[in-house]
Amino acid sequence: MARIVVIGAGMGGLAAAARLATVGHKVTLCEAAPTHGGMLGRYERDGFRFDTGPTLLTLPAVYRDLMLKTGRTRLEDEVDLRPVDPGSEHLLPDGTRLALANASLARVAAALDAALGTGAGERWTAMLERGRGVWEATRRPLLEEPLPDDPSALHRDPYVPARRGLLARPPRTLADVARRELRDARLTALLDEYALRFGLDPERAPASLTSLPYMEQSFGVWYVTGGLRALADAVLRRCEARRVDLRFGTRVEQVLGEDRVTGVLLADGSVLDADVVVDDRAPASTAGSPGRFTLLLALRGTRPESAAHRTVVHAPDRADELDAVFGAAPRLCERPTLQLLRPDDATLAPAGHEAAVVTVTVPPLGPVDWTDSARTAAYADAVLAHATRAAPELGDRLLWAQARTPADTAAETGAPGGSVPPPSLAGADGAYLAPPNAAAPTGLFRVGGGAHPGGGLARVGMSAAVAAHLVGTP
Ligand SMILES: Cc1cc2nc3c(=O)[nH]c(=O)nc-3n(C[C@H](O)[C@H](O)[C@H](O)COP(=O)(O)OP(=O)(O)OC[C@H]3O[C@@H](n4cnc5c(N)ncnc54)[C@H](O)[C@@H]3O)c2cc1C
């Protein structure tokens, strides 16, 4: 039995602690904050409850596996998991409105043909088919297994372009794919939204990013009743059942040991001895990635039956938005691409009311002064005005709104710059690969969004499975 200290009770740390305690290790989990979940936070006020972080889940199989391996229960026994259908509704800059089905490429193609003209669905599906090729080529090394000792095979982009022989060079970036294969500004907006949502610049991200829309539109997107935070609660319960020693309000200052890990130094000056340390903190290298601006909306009156769970309102000026988030002088885009989330979930608001969330990808702390409260309030007004393009009644029904910025993410989770690490991708000479789970000194392992295979709940859950596998059984 190894003595293991896990640093951080984000989803990566919680999942790793549950797995390691289940196989018989003595696990102590040190969390600086007074609560668990990290970015999977909750804000409650006046009977309203909001997710402050993730609002949707892909690849629930990752958490199914966690529940089975740590307690032989089904994920569905622990949380009420619901497919989101339609998967998304879109309001495009030209006013086109369309709903894309969940987990059905055929229904997505039909909706695209109907809204954007015959042939749009075929072009989109053909591109996703190539995204499927990427998914199949990278699923194991980029999701299920440790990063190979020699990751150079993942430095190449496995995206196989259309009409390869006719083109001088295969597409290098997601933007190249859109220009050559989608050839429609509205389809491009749909594709770019995936990049933006994951904090990546479509002009630089490799074509392999097409695996993300393939995955979401093929396998589906899910919601948890009570909010995604209920998933963190379920994993915490599993840690408790497995007798993880949970220490909240316990900040780790330093990992100790030169060649081998010997323990951790806590903020109160005491030392916890350990044979293995599992670190869920995001590394400083993630500081430049974008963060999220989130607006929590307490609304008077019930949710309209016709409201979609997720509506994406696209930016009218895409080039301006990309320049604002990823350009040389990052700034706020006043009319950004945003997601309006309106779960049909009575547990989130007092009777006869609705809780909605708007979320936008924005520059991290540093380039933008997120501590300027007047600027933040003005930005909240601009984002809300933009969201009302999709749902004009929001403004009249607003009881109050609470803005949350990368400064809040940084303060609550320690994420450098309040950045949200993106998922790992193949291609671009390895520039989009997160660091491996095994680190130096011996006995140190990294989990969470800042480690292989990168950010997002599913990948963070996989980082815990991979790290637990590397630590091994007692
Ligand atoms: C607004 C927002 C929306 C998002 N939307 C989605 C979504 O819809 N779907 C999706 O899949 N993902 C989404 N994500 C990303 C997802 O939330 C993260 O990838 C994931 O939750 C990160 O988990 P983690 O374990 O890596 O780290 P974190 O959640 O950052 O947890 C790290 C933990 O370590 C603790 N810690 C830090 N320093 C110390 C220290 N020195 N000592 C002890 N403890 C320490 C922190 O307090 C924190 O609890 C979103 C993120 C945000 C912020």
Side-chain angles (χ1 to χ4, degrees), residues 65-291:
D65 183 72
L66 176 70
M67 289 302 166
L68 272 176
K69 298 266 170 62
T70 59
R72 296 185 187 284
T73 59
R74 297 180 316 137
L75 179 59
E76 285 77 358
D77 296 332
E78 308 298 329
V79 294
D80 181 28
L81 196 62
R82 296 195 235 155
V84 173
D85 204 1
S88 54
E89 188 179 82
H90 293 262
L91 181 59
L92 296 170
D94 67 355
T96 305
R97 203 164 188 143
L98 74 160
L100 300 180
N102 196 27
S104 169
L105 295 184
R107 285 168 63 206
V108 166
L112 291 173
D113 273 347
L116 307 184
T118 307
E122 193 182 323
R123 288 204 300 287
W124 181 260
T125 313
M127 179 207 65
L128 288 196
E129 182 59 22
R130 295 186 276 279
R132 180 171 69 86
V134 175
W135 165 255
E136 286 174 356
T138 58
R139 183 173 61 90
R140 290 181 68 172
L142 267 192
L143 196 66
E144 298 173 351
E145 295 176 350
L147 197 63
D149 289 339
D150 174 6
S152 53
L154 291 167
H155 290 192
R156 288 187 297 277
D157 192 330
Y159 187 82
V160 178
R163 297 183 293 145
R164 194 178 203 173
L166 300 178
L167 294 169
R169 283 188 306 140
R172 294 177 63 83
T173 65
L174 194 73
D176 285 342
V177 171
R179 279 189 284 267
R180 294 184 193 184
E181 302 181 15
L182 297 179
R183 303 185 303 279
D184 179 312
R186 296 163 303 173
L187 289 176
T188 300
L190 295 178
L191 183 60
D192 281 359
E193 194 262 324
Y194 281 89
L196 263 172
R197 193 178 343 137
F198 290 104
L200 295 166
D201 179 357
E203 291 288 350
R204 284 182 225 162
S208 68
L209 197 149
T210 47
S211 59
L212 300 179
Y214 165 75
M215 193 194 73
E216 187 178 299
Q217 294 194 351
S218 304
F219 308 139
V221 54
W222 307 76
Y223 172 72
V224 175
T225 303
L228 265 282
R229 169 82 177 175
L231 186 64
D233 295 343
V235 184
L236 178 76
R237 286 196 299 275
R238 194 47 57 91
C239 286
E240 288 165 344
R242 290 296 166 186
R243 298 212 163 77
V244 173
D245 179 2
L246 294 159
R247 302 193 187 178
F248 292 102
T250 305
R251 174 175 297 281
V252 171
E253 290 297 341
Q254 197 184 334
V255 177
L256 303 173
E258 302 233 320
D259 301 328
R260 256 212 90 82
V261 154
T262 57
V264 296
L265 173 67
L266 302 181
D268 66 4
S270 62
V271 168
L272 267 181
D273 294 333
D275 310 304
V276 169
V277 171
V278 177
D279 195 347
D280 186 29
R281 296 173 297 176
S285 57
T286 57
S289 296

Side-chain angles (χ1 to χ4, degrees), residues 8 10-12 31-32 38-39 52-56 252 280-281 413 448-449 456-457:
M11 288 303 273
E31 166 57 56
M39 290 186 187
T52 57
T55 43
L56 295 170
V252 171
D280 186 29
R281 296 173 297 176
T413 69
L457 288 176

